[in-house]
Amino acid sequence: MRKLLNKTLASAIFAALSTTAIAATTAPSFDVNDLDAKINPCGDFNGFVNAKWVEANPIPSDRTRWGAFDQLREHSLQTQREIAEAAARDANKAAAGSVGQKIGWFYRSGMAEGAIEKAGLAPVKPELAKIDALKSPADIAAYVTESFSRGQSGLFGIYAAPDFKNSKVQIAYVAQGGIGLPTSEYYSKPDYAELRKAYQAHVAKVLELAGEKAVDANKAAEQVLAFETRLAAASLVPVELRKPENQYHFVSLADADKASTNFSWTKFFAAQHADIKGGFSLSQPMFFAEVDKMIGDVPADQWRAYLRFHAIDSASPYLSKPFSQENFAFYNKTLNGQKEQEPRWKRVLATVNEGMGMGLGELYVAKTFPPESKQRAMELVTNVSAALKARIEKLDWMSDTTKQKAIEKWSTFLPKIGYPDKWRDWSGLAVKSDDYYANVLAASKYNYDYELAKVGKPTDRLEWGMTPQTVNAYYNPTDNTINFPAAILQPPFFDAKADDALNYGGIGAVIGHEATHGFDDEGSQFDAQGNNANWWTKEDREKFDARTAKLVAQFNEYQPLPGKHVNGQLTLGENIADLGGINVAYDALQMALGKHGEASKEIDGYTPQQRFFLNFARIWRGSTLPKRQEVLLNADPHAPAQYRAIGAPSNVPAFAHAFSCKAGDAMVRDDGKQVKIW
C-alpha cells in the first residue's frame, strides 16, 4: 500500500464479489492451525500469527521476499500469463490493431529467445553511435534533450502531475535521478564501500560485453562511478524527498534558463512538445544546478562513458543472455541477495506490464472482475469512510476550526474501485510480432508522449496511477483519491465467504489506511482540493507533530538486521496510515457487528474482535532476504512487514482487551508511550 504524489469487507452483501482467486479458494477463510500456541499473542503477536507459516514457506529462490502480498501477486501473475499466452497464440487472427493483438505480439516477441540471442547488442548500437559522436557541452545538452524526446530518460525524471498550488491543472515536474545505486548514501557511506567496488566491476563488465577492451572498460567504470558520486552528492535522501517542499519548486522557463548556462530548458520542453506556458517544477534545484555545471566541466569522454554504460545497462534485460544475466548478477543477486533469476515468462510479463500495463489490465478485468463487484466494494468503502469521519469529529486534541477543514477534506475523497471507467486508447502504438527491443522502445516513447500530453490540461481525477492487476492500493494527495485495484480484492484481504471480522481486518484496514494517508504527515499538508496549503491552526499542528514524533521514536527502536534500525521518519506516513487504518476499520466492524447482533459470536474459538486482529497480522506475514531488507531500510517508506503486524495493534487498547493482555506485556504500551492520532 502506498501513496502517490507523482504521477476494498462486508458480510453477505458482498457475496457477488467473486474473482478467479476467490472462486478457486477451498481452504478455510482463516486456518487457526497456522497459529503458534507456544507463543503468547500479548508478547509477540506477529510470531503467534505468522511464525509457523513463515517457517513452512521459505522464500523461493527466484524472489527476495515471500508473504501474503507475494502469494497474491504470484496468483495475479499466473492469471496474466494465461491471458498473455492466449493473446500470443491468437494474435495473428485477432482484430487488427486490437489490444489483444498488441499484447500478444509484445509477449510473443519477448519469448522469442532465438531471435534475441542472435541480435546480441545490435539493437543498442544506433544509440551508442549517437553517444560516441558527442564532443562538446553543446553536443551533450542536445543529446540529453533529443533522447528524452524519444522517451529515453535517465539523467533525471520527468512526469506530469497536478500543480501543488493549483491542483486543477497539470504541470511538468522534473526530478533528480541518474544514479545506479539505490540512494545517494550508497556513494558516500563507508558501509557500502564494497558494494561500490562491486558496482564499478559491474559497469566494467557491461562495457566489456559491449566490446571494449578490459583496460578501457575499467577506466570508463572509474569515470562512471565518479560521475554518479557527484550526482549523488547533489541529491536528496529519501526521507528529505518525502517533504512537499522538496517535491515542488515552480519556475518560469526564462528563470530556469537564467540559472542554467549549459542547458536550455526552453529548447528541452520544445523538443518534448510539452505545453509549459507559465512554467514547470524544477523540483530539486540543487541537483539540476549540479547537472548544469557537469555539462560544462565534465570531460566529454567521461560523459560518453556514463551515457554509454547506462544505454547498455538499461537495455540489458531485453538483450541476449550475457547482458541480461550480468544485469541480474549485480542488481538482483549482489545488491538484493536473489539466488536465481526469474523464469523468462515472468520477466517478459513485467516488461509487457511496464509498456502496456493498462492494456493488459483491460484483458485481466474482463477475465477476473465482474462489473457488479465495484458496487459491492464501494459499500464497504462507504462504511469505513463513515467511521473515519466519526473519529475525526470525536478527536479530543484538535480544535473545531481544524476539524471543519479535516471534514471538508474527508467529504471530497474520491474512491475508485477495481479498474478505470474508461480504458486507455492504444491505437497509436505500433507493436511488432518479432522485435522485442523495438517494442520496448515504441512503448516507452508512446507512454512518454501520453504522459507529457497531460501538461497544461485539466487534472482528470478519474485517471488511475496503478493497473487493475496490481496487488496494492494508493492515495494521491494532489487529487484526493483513494484507489483499490481489482487484484487486491481477494483473500486474505477480501473473501466473500468469510465473516465480517476477517474482511474488516483485511481489506477494511487497507481502505482505512489509504484514507488516513490524506491526514498523515505529508497528506495533511494538502487541502480538500489537493493543493499544498496549510489548513491547520498553529496549535493543532504542534499537537499533531508531537504525537507523530512518538510514532517515529517507536519505529526507530525496531531492528530487523544487526545494527540496522527502521527509519521512523522515512516510514512515518505509512505508520500513521496503518494506525489510523486499523482504528477506523475496527470501529466500522463494531458498527457492523452491532447491526447484525454478532458482537460475541465465536468462530474456531476466537471472537470477532480477535479475528479482526488475527487477519490484520496475517496480511503482513512474510520474510525478506537480508540484503533486500537493507535496501528497503534505506529507500522504502514502508516499515518491514513484521513490525507492521505489531506496531499499530500495540497502540490500540482494543487489541489488549481482545486478547486479555496486561500491563507490561510487549504488545501493551502504557498511556505515556501509546500513540493516538486519528
Side-chain angles (χ1 to χ4, degrees), residues 7-335:
K7 318 220 219 183
T8 110
L9 286 159
S11 53
I13 60 172
F14 289 97
L17 180 55
S18 60
T19 66
T20 300
I22 292 173
T25 299
T26 58
S29 297
F30 188 95
D31 190 350
V32 295
N33 292 314
D34 283 346
L35 302 177
D36 193 336
K38 299 188 299 296
I39 299 176
N40 181 1
C42 298
D44 177 8
F45 192 58
N46 178 63
F48 174 69
V49 178
N50 296 323
K52 286 176 65 176
W53 185 94
V54 169
E55 184 178 1
N57 292 271
I59 300 170
S61 59
D62 65 345
R63 288 180 175 267
T64 58
R65 62 183 183 185
W66 189 246
F69 274 87
D70 305 284
Q71 280 188 312
L72 200 48
R73 286 166 181 153
E74 182 71 20
H75 177 82
S76 177
L77 284 175
Q78 292 292 346
T79 302
Q80 293 173 55
R81 182 187 188 182
E82 294 171 7
I83 294 169
E85 289 183 345
R89 185 172 58 248
D90 301 335
N92 290 349
K93 59 185 179 182
S98 64
V99 171
Q101 185 181 66
K102 292 180 180 183
I103 292 293
W105 280 351
F106 204 154
Y107 184 77
R108 183 196 295 178
S109 70
M111 295 301 292
E113 294 185 76
I116 293 169
E117 293 304 311
K118 183 178 180 180
L121 185 65
V124 189
K125 286 185 176 180
E127 193 72 29
L128 299 180
K130 292 180 180 181
I131 293 169
D132 289 343
L134 304 179
K135 307 296 183 185
S136 67
D139 291 343
I140 294 163
Y143 172 78
V144 170
T145 293
E146 188 270 338
S147 62
F148 267 82
S149 72
R150 293 184 279 112
Q152 303 303 299
S153 59
L155 182 59
F156 53 85
I158 182 170
Y159 56 93
D163 188 334
F164 273 24
K165 300 303 180 182
N166 180 17
S167 63
K168 293 181 179 180
V169 177
Q170 298 274 304
I171 63 168
Y173 288 73
V174 293
Q176 67 180 49
I179 59 176
L181 295 176
T183 73
S184 59
E185 296 164 303
Y186 280 78
Y187 291 85
S188 57
K189 283 190 172 183
D191 291 6
Y192 301 115
E194 290 303 312
L195 193 55
R196 288 193 289 275
K197 290 181 181 178
Y199 181 54
Q200 185 172 320
H202 165 66
V203 175
K205 178 66 173 178
V206 168
L207 294 174
E208 281 191 69
L209 288 173
E212 293 192 24
K213 294 180 180 179
V215 62
D216 295 330
N218 288 328
K219 178 183 176 181
E222 291 179 9
Q223 291 180 307
V224 171
L225 183 62
F227 187 100
E228 292 188 19
T229 299
R230 187 167 166 182
L231 284 181
S235 301
L236 298 177
V237 296
V239 70
E240 293 298 321
L241 286 172
R242 288 195 66 249
K243 299 176 181 178
E245 61 267 31
N246 289 331
Q247 300 167 10
Y248 179 84
H249 179 71
F250 193 85
V251 294
S252 67
L253 278 174
D255 286 343
D257 283 343
K258 281 182 183 178
S260 181
T261 58
N262 296 300
F263 187 78
S264 169
W265 288 104
T266 297
K267 291 180 180 178
F268 175 82
F269 281 111
Q272 315 313 310
H273 304 290
D275 185 10
I276 296 303
K277 292 181 180 176
F280 66 103
S281 176
L282 191 71
S283 299
Q284 293 84 36
M286 182 175 72
F287 172 83
F288 288 100
E290 188 65 11
V291 168
D292 183 63
K293 290 179 183 177
M294 292 174 73
I295 292 174
D297 65 25
V298 170
D301 67 321
Q302 189 173 1
W303 268 100
R304 289 195 298 270
Y306 170 79
L307 294 170
R308 184 178 177 85
F309 162 68
H310 279 286
I312 303 166
D313 198 51
S314 63
S316 290
Y318 322 114
L319 301 179
S320 56
K321 286 181 180 178
F323 294 97
S324 64
Q325 289 176 346
E326 172 58 28
N327 191 267
F328 164 79
F330 177 74
Y331 293 107
N332 298 78
K333 190 172 184 177
T334 299
L335 186 57

Side-chain angles (χ1 to χ4, degrees), residues 27 43 54 75 86 119 122 140 150 195 198 210 259 289 299 348 366 380 421 480 652 657-658:
V54 169
H75 177 82
I140 294 163
R150 293 184 279 112
L195 193 55
V348 174
L380 178 58
D421 292 328
N480 206 27
V652 178
H657 180 74

